[in-house]
Amino acid sequence: MSKRTEKTIVDIAEELKLSVSTVSRALNDNPNISARTKDKVKKMARKLGYRPNALAAGLRNNKSKTIGLIVPRISMFFPATISTIIQNKLQEYGYNLIICQSNDSYDQEVALVNTLYSARVDGLVVSTTLYTTDFSHFDVFKDNNIPLIFFDRVPKDYNVKVIKGDDYVGGYTATTHLIERGCKDIVHISGPLTCNLYVERVSGYKHALQAHKLPFKKTRVFYQELTRDNAWQVCEKIFAQTPYPDGIFASNDTTAITIMEYCRKINVRVPEDLKIVGYSNDPRTEIVTPPVTSVDQYPAMMGERVVAALMELITNQASATAPRYSQEIIPIQLIARESTAGTVKTSGKKK
Amino acid sequence: MSKRTEKTIVDIAEELKLSVSTVSRALNDNPNISARTKDKVKKMARKLGYRPNALAAGLRNNKSKTIGLIVPRISMFFPATISTIIQNKLQEYGYNLIICQSNDSYDQEVALVNTLYSARVDGLVVSTTLYTTDFSHFDVFKDNNIPLIFFDRVPKDYNVKVIKGDDYVGGYTATTHLIERGCKDIVHISGPLTCNLYVERVSGYKHALQAHKLPFKKTRVFYQELTRDNAWQVCEKIFAQTPYPDGIFASNDTTAITIMEYCRKINVRVPEDLKIVGYSNDPRTEIVTPPVTSVDQYPAMMGERVVAALMELITNQASATAPRYSQEIIPIQLIARESTAGTVKTSGKKK
DNA sequence: TTGAATATTGCAAACGTTTGCATTACATTA
DNA sequence: TAATGTAATGCAAACGTTTGCAATATTCAA
């Protein structure tokens, strides 16, 4: 009852006593096929339940109408949002999206790049692993002139199209905000420095301190994967000794939120005793009490820019003149909420 | 410098003065190719930078080593978690995953099913739109005997493999929990009844009330898309008139959390004046104050079961004897938190 | 050394499209 | 009506694999 179902354009051709080329052209709305024939063909296609075989077309055309996307994990707010945008946008252009997660594992990333190449995706969009510092596994795409775009977590010293947030300004702005609210001893909890965007945020943090004549102390910066567990642990370290900091700039919202929980536990009041800023403007920052100040990265805008850039690369693929790389920076915006409300009194410390 | 790069097995064959068939077999570790030849071939493949063309192989084999996944949206906790699991699990089996979002639009779902069929995915995994009641667009998969699995939001009266949560028990348990904590007037906020799982939860809710001799009132059940906005609006309706309910069972956590926010605004205390239960055990339930009681659906287990069932279908595809459909039910577990703590006093109402 | 058995390798077709070029059908003009 | 131009269709090769079957090379026993 099943099996022998798959109809092809050959079946349509036979049924209609036409050549396969005519059928193919008719289905693709080629201009020099008569309207009458097109109509007949399409009718018959519907009648037979014909479904185009994208593999065959892809093989012949050397393009799959498919884009690959590699992100660390789709369960995180920022990549999830961007993936959604990219997918929906791409759908409008008639492209499929293969979403893959590297789980922040370099080896997995390498493997994914290879299978996506094998799948002959027409383009690859990547936000790298925290630990990717060697980018040679992307060479296949560069060498074969297949559109390749990095976003958010982007490579350093690897000529390629890049769309990233303004992480330096983000770090600077977040820190300045804390300073303006009276903080004098600001801890920064950063991701690992193998990932460029954290380097920039740290740099922004440092320069903001210096611009306001505050000392930059190495011991006040912590580098770690920004997970819930790590956040809790670093809190235990930070609050094991006095003086407590009066401000914390965390490089993601999970960390910021976890710090708040810890503070509640040890009776440090936010924002009275300690002010906190997170990063990404994850919706969770709004539902938590007090709501957390965070740095919005305009994920929707970034996603749209990624697709726009991708489409541009795809259409200009032929012209060898088109620039292969460039950097585009998406702005950030600080969203002030209750976790940084009020002003620290010069002295006031401890409940 | 670029372009003419793409090496094929033909290139390898020529280079080595072998036939393409030998090369193909060597690369696939076919047993009747000598170890020596295999070695030579693989070395040369590496040297030439050969990359298999999955499209060609797929065309020839009539299989793409790719699975399609359609979910309403990947930015929601439950589908996101399941997608992650499925993808990672599938990777182990050497399958790619094309994740697609229907955005809860029936038309988009239909379109996606068609393109995924065109892409000749080796299997399709679906959690349907809220509004999908006609499932005929999936017939192509059924008719061609391509593994097809539904999870969570599954069809009614459509013979197919189904893996779902125990929504009846979920509704029953959540409601019973509220009753046991002393609630007498329990509102239920449900999703639209076009989606089967809400029907079951409502049914569980109803039977729990009846089992405890509480009246089931139609006016105490609301049907709507469970978004933040809708939750806020329904609150305005509910709290526009007295008496206020003393318990609310919301069919997702976004709704539950939003209700809590509303309550704070109008000074209804949770859990003293009102107890709230959500659904899905979204991590947000834990970081909100007070933490929200919710119904865990074991997404990881469900994801794993989906992949297991899928692999089973794929390997047994040949045998016409294997059952094409079945239903598998994943258990739920109520996670009690502060939002339902304490016991309502028989009288106590209003601040 | 010969023959048979077995281990390797090669040939060629097939998967379902698309497309350059050649061919045929039709319409127009003189 | 013949010649010409244009519109519509057909032929056949190509995309890169895999695989049944045929062919050759190798091994082993007698």
Side-chain angles (χ1 to χ4, degrees):
Chain A
M1 175 216 159
S2 43
K3 268 308 81 167
R4 205 49 255 122
T5 319
E6 307 266 6
K7 297 295 180 184
T8 74
I9 55 172
V10 179
D11 295 317
I12 301 181
E14 281 173 355
E15 203 75 32
L16 254 38
K17 306 281 177 226
L18 282 174
S19 72
V20 289
S21 26
T22 304
V23 173
S24 170
R25 279 189 262 254
L27 289 173
N28 291 321
D29 270 324
N30 183 304
N32 46 8
I33 294 291
S34 71
R36 235 168 50 85
T37 324
K38 279 183 188 172
D39 207 58
K40 273 198 307 189
V41 170
K42 287 178 184 172
K43 283 231 177 69
M44 182 56 74
R46 213 164 310 127
K47 183 174 161 206
L48 295 182
Y50 165 76
R51 307 281 174 151
N53 185 323
L55 293 179
L59 174 58
R60 168 62 221 236
N61 295 332
N62 200 30
K63 61 167 75 154
S64 57
K65 279 288 182 178
T66 296
I67 302 295
L69 172 68
I70 303 179
V71 292
R73 27 181 65 98
I74 58 168
S75 49
M76 286 162 41
F77 165 71
F78 190 71
T81 310
I82 295 224
S83 304
T84 301
I85 304 278
I86 292 182
Q87 168 145 121
N88 289 336
K89 208 80 193 152
L90 237 33
Q91 228 152 275
E92 293 172 18
Y93 289 96
Y95 280 84
N96 267 90
L97 183 67
I98 304 193
I99 302 179
C100 301
Q101 335 184 45
S102 61
N103 295 310
D104 265 324
S105 144
Y106 175 77
D107 291 340
Q108 274 199 56
E109 184 178 279
V110 173
L112 288 173
V113 171
N114 287 324
T115 52
L116 287 178
Y117 183 84
S118 275
R120 294 298 188 269
V121 292
D122 295 340
L124 182 62
V125 178
V126 186
S127 180
T128 70
T129 283
L130 277 178
Y131 309 107
T132 309
T133 51
D134 174 2
F135 301 93
S136 55
H137 47 301
F138 295 110
D139 286 349
V140 220
F141 282 84
K142 277 177 81 168
D143 293 348
N144 288 72
N145 194 24
I146 300 170
L148 174 60
I149 296 188
F150 288 83
F151 74 94
D152 194 39
R153 298 196 190 162
V154 305
K156 192 177 153 65
D157 302 327
Y158 189 67
N159 278 346
V160 83
K161 182 101 196 166
V162 156
I163 296 179
K164 60 187 292 299
D166 202 341
D167 293 295
Y168 174 81
V169 169
Y172 192 95
T173 307
T175 311
T176 303
H177 176 74
L178 287 169
I179 297 173
E180 285 171 350
R181 295 298 166 101
C183 299
K184 300 253 181 292
D185 178 15
I186 302 172
V187 157
H188 177 34
I189 299 178
S190 165
L193 292 183
T194 40
C195 188
N196 219 245
L197 97 211
Y198 295 119
V199 176
E200 295 184 23
R201 291 186 198 161
V202 170
S203 167
Y205 158 80
K206 184 173 173 181
H207 289 158
L209 290 180
Q210 295 174 341
H212 294 82
K213 316 265 187 258
L214 288 174
F216 169 80
K217 297 185 198 147
K218 277 192 181 159
T219 54
R220 280 322 212 180
V221 186
F222 299 83
Y223 303 96
Q224 58 189 39
E225 259 194 67
L226 299 169
T227 64
R228 204 172 162 66
D229 286 351
N230 286 345
W232 195 264
Q233 282 171 27
V234 83
C235 279
E236 289 178 339
K237 217 179 299 172
I238 293 170
F239 295 100
Q241 54 195 42
T242 46
Y244 291 175
D246 53 10
I248 297 187
F249 164 37
S251 232
N252 81 357
D253 288 321
T254 299
T255 303
I257 290 170
T258 309
I259 294 172
M260 280 209 335
E261 284 182 59
Y262 188 89
C263 287
R264 181 172 318 148
K265 192 191 138 211
I266 64 168
N267 286 320
V268 166
R269 294 167 308 164
V270 178
E272 293 84 352
D273 304 333
L274 174 70
K275 301 193 191 306
I276 299 179
V277 178
Y279 212 102
S280 285
N281 201 24
D282 185 313
R284 287 177 298 164
T285 54
E286 285 195 287
I287 59 170
V288 117
T289 32
V292 181
T293 297
S294 190
V295 177
D296 192 287
Q297 303 182 272
Y298 295 107
M301 189 192 300
M302 192 179 286
E304 276 164 26
R305 289 305 306 144
V306 165
V307 174
L310 186 65
M311 286 304 138
E312 205 174 331
L313 282 181
I314 287 180
T315 49
N316 295 338
Q317 215 164 350
S319 73
T321 66
R324 278 289 94 77
Y325 59 95
S326 71
Q327 197 182 54
E328 198 170 319
I329 295 191
I330 306 292
I332 55 90
Q333 185 188 11
L334 185 111
I335 310 288
R337 299 202 180 86
E338 234 182 289
S339 73
T340 57
T343 309
V344 174
K345 293 118 293 178
T346 316
S347 60
K349 185 75 53 73
K350 218 58 202 286
K351 186 206 167 127
Chain B
M1 174 213 159
S2 44
K3 268 308 80 166
R4 206 47 256 123
T5 319
E6 306 266 6
K7 297 294 181 184
T8 74
I9 56 171
V10 179
D11 296 315
I12 302 180
E14 281 173 356
E15 202 75 30
L16 253 38
K17 305 280 176 228
L18 281 175
S19 72
V20 289
S21 26
T22 304
V23 173
S24 170
R25 280 190 261 253
L27 290 173
N28 291 320
D29 270 324
N30 184 304
N32 45 9
I33 294 291
S34 70
R36 234 169 49 86
T37 324
K38 279 184 190 173
D39 207 57
K40 272 198 306 187
V41 170
K42 288 178 184 172
K43 282 232 177 66
M44 182 56 74
R46 213 164 311 126
K47 183 175 161 206
L48 295 182
Y50 165 77
R51 306 281 174 150
N53 184 322
L55 293 179
L59 174 59
R60 167 64 221 232
N61 294 332
N62 200 30
K63 61 167 74 155
S64 57
K65 278 287 181 181
T66 297
I67 302 294
L69 172 68
I70 303 180
V71 292
R73 26 181 66 97
I74 58 169
S75 49
M76 287 162 40
F77 165 70
F78 191 71
T81 310
I82 295 224
S83 304
T84 301
I85 305 278
I86 293 181
Q87 169 145 120
N88 289 337
K89 208 79 193 155
L90 238 32
Q91 229 153 273
E92 292 172 18
Y93 289 96
Y95 280 84
N96 267 89
L97 183 66
I98 305 193
I99 303 180
C100 302
Q101 334 183 46
S102 62
N103 295 310
D104 265 325
S105 143
Y106 174 77
D107 291 339
Q108 274 199 56
E109 183 178 279
V110 173
L112 288 172
V113 171
N114 287 324
T115 52
L116 287 177
Y117 183 84
S118 275
R120 293 298 188 270
V121 292
D122 295 340
L124 182 63
V125 178
V126 186
S127 180
T128 70
T129 283
L130 277 177
Y131 309 107
T132 309
T133 51
D134 174 2
F135 301 92
S136 56
H137 48 300
F138 295 110
D139 286 349
V140 220
F141 283 83
K142 277 177 81 170
D143 293 347
N144 288 71
N145 195 24
I146 300 170
L148 173 61
I149 296 187
F150 288 83
F151 73 95
D152 193 39
R153 297 195 191 163
V154 305
K156 192 176 153 67
D157 303 326
Y158 189 68
N159 277 347
V160 83
K161 182 103 196 163
V162 156
I163 296 179
K164 61 186 293 299
D166 202 342
D167 292 296
Y168 174 80
V169 170
Y172 193 95
T173 307
T175 311
T176 303
H177 176 73
L178 287 169
I179 297 171
E180 285 171 350
R181 295 298 167 101
C183 300
K184 299 254 183 291
D185 178 16
I186 301 172
V187 158
H188 176 34
I189 299 179
S190 165
L193 292 183
T194 41
C195 190
N196 219 245
L197 97 212
Y198 295 119
V199 176
E200 295 184 23
R201 291 187 199 159
V202 171
S203 167
Y205 160 80
K206 183 174 174 179
H207 290 159
L209 290 179
Q210 295 174 341
H212 294 82
K213 313 265 189 258
L214 287 175
F216 169 80
K217 298 184 197 149
K218 276 193 182 159
T219 54
R220 280 322 213 179
V221 186
F222 299 84
Y223 304 97
Q224 58 189 39
E225 258 194 68
L226 300 169
T227 64
R228 205 171 159 66
D229 287 353
N230 286 346
W232 194 265
Q233 282 170 27
V234 84
C235 280
E236 288 177 338
K237 217 179 298 172
I238 293 171
F239 294 101
Q241 54 195 41
T242 47
Y244 290 176
D246 53 10
I248 297 186
F249 163 38
S251 230
N252 82 356
D253 289 321
T254 299
T255 302
I257 291 170
T258 309
I259 295 172
M260 279 208 336
E261 284 182 60
Y262 188 89
C263 287
R264 181 172 318 146
K265 192 191 140 215
I266 64 167
N267 287 319
V268 166
R269 295 166 308 165
V270 178
E272 293 84 350
D273 304 332
L274 174 70
K275 302 195 190 305
I276 299 178
V277 178
Y279 212 102
S280 284
N281 202 24
D282 184 314
R284 286 177 299 164
T285 54
E286 285 195 287
I287 60 171
V288 117
T289 31
V292 182
T293 297
S294 190
V295 178
D296 193 286
Q297 304 180 273
Y298 295 106
M301 189 192 299
M302 193 179 286
E304 275 164 26
R305 289 303 307 142
V306 165
V307 174
L310 186 64
M311 285 304 138
E312 205 174 331
L313 282 182
I314 287 181
T315 48
N316 294 338
Q317 214 163 352
S319 73
T321 67
R324 279 290 92 78
Y325 60 94
S326 71
Q327 196 182 54
E328 198 170 317
I329 295 191
I330 307 292
I332 56 90
Q333 185 188 11
L334 186 111
I335 310 288
R337 298 202 180 86
E338 234 184 288
S339 73
T340 56
T343 308
V344 175
K345 293 119 296 181
T346 317
S347 61
K349 184 77 53 74
K350 217 62 202 287
K351 184 197 165 133

